[in-house]
Amino acid sequence: MINIERMTELSVEFLDAAYLEIVERARRLAEQYFEQAQQFLGEEGKTHVPILIWVQQISPNAWGFYWVRVHYVREDGKGNAVARKIPKGPRHQYPAGAFSFVKGTLLLRVRNYEARLAELRQLAAENRALRKTTLAWEGRYQKILALEAPFSNVLA
């Protein structure tokens, strides 16, 4: 007989490891974007990067990859950076108008990174859905086995 619990455990472990790899790729993408944006804006004589990628843990088992708008608020004589999440909208990709405040060539970089982030968001969502389905299927299978046990003597 197949050990369904062990198979499910291995499947979930694999999906969790793949999900963490997706999250790590998003983190590396965020770091890479920030470094390139700083370098690019530095060449233009600017120091402020107005938009960043934010990789945030939403719950113990879920992460989000967002764009945030960064601006400075003057309080007590000094400027404090404030990051506000840009509304994403439906599905995995931001609408084109979400980045209307980004100007020049930086906008092309943001759109390029957004395309890559959208792929990671979709892959992460599919991974979590598959994990949920796997666990639900195992639960339903265990329920059928439990219901079948009382009838095994009658059917034999």
Side-chain angles (χ1 to χ4, degrees), residues 78-143:
K78 60 182 178 177
N80 293 325
V82 176
R84 293 211 170 101
K85 195 168 19 172
I86 299 172
K88 185 173 63 61
R91 294 286 174 186
H92 306 291
Q93 198 162 12
Y94 280 78
F99 308 119
S100 60
F101 64 94
V102 181
K103 305 296 181 210
T105 313
L106 183 61
L107 180 60
L108 296 175
R109 290 180 191 267
V110 167
R111 288 194 176 153
N112 182 30
Y113 275 90
E114 169 51 22
R116 294 166 66 190
L117 273 176
E119 291 173 2
L120 289 177
R121 277 189 219 101
Q122 182 172 0
L123 196 58
E126 290 170 359
N127 178 292
R128 296 293 86 180
L130 186 55
R131 183 184 195 275
K132 184 177 179 180
T133 301
T134 301
L135 290 171
W137 182 87
E138 192 240 347
R140 289 194 342 245
Y141 183 76
Q142 293 296 344
K143 183 178 176 183

Side-chain angles (χ1 to χ4, degrees), residues 25-33 53 113 116-117 120:
R25 285 177 185 257
R27 281 188 184 134
R28 285 194 305 261
L29 203 63
E31 291 170 5
Q32 180 184 3
Y33 162 77
I53 299 169
Y113 275 90
R116 294 166 66 190
L117 273 176
L120 289 177

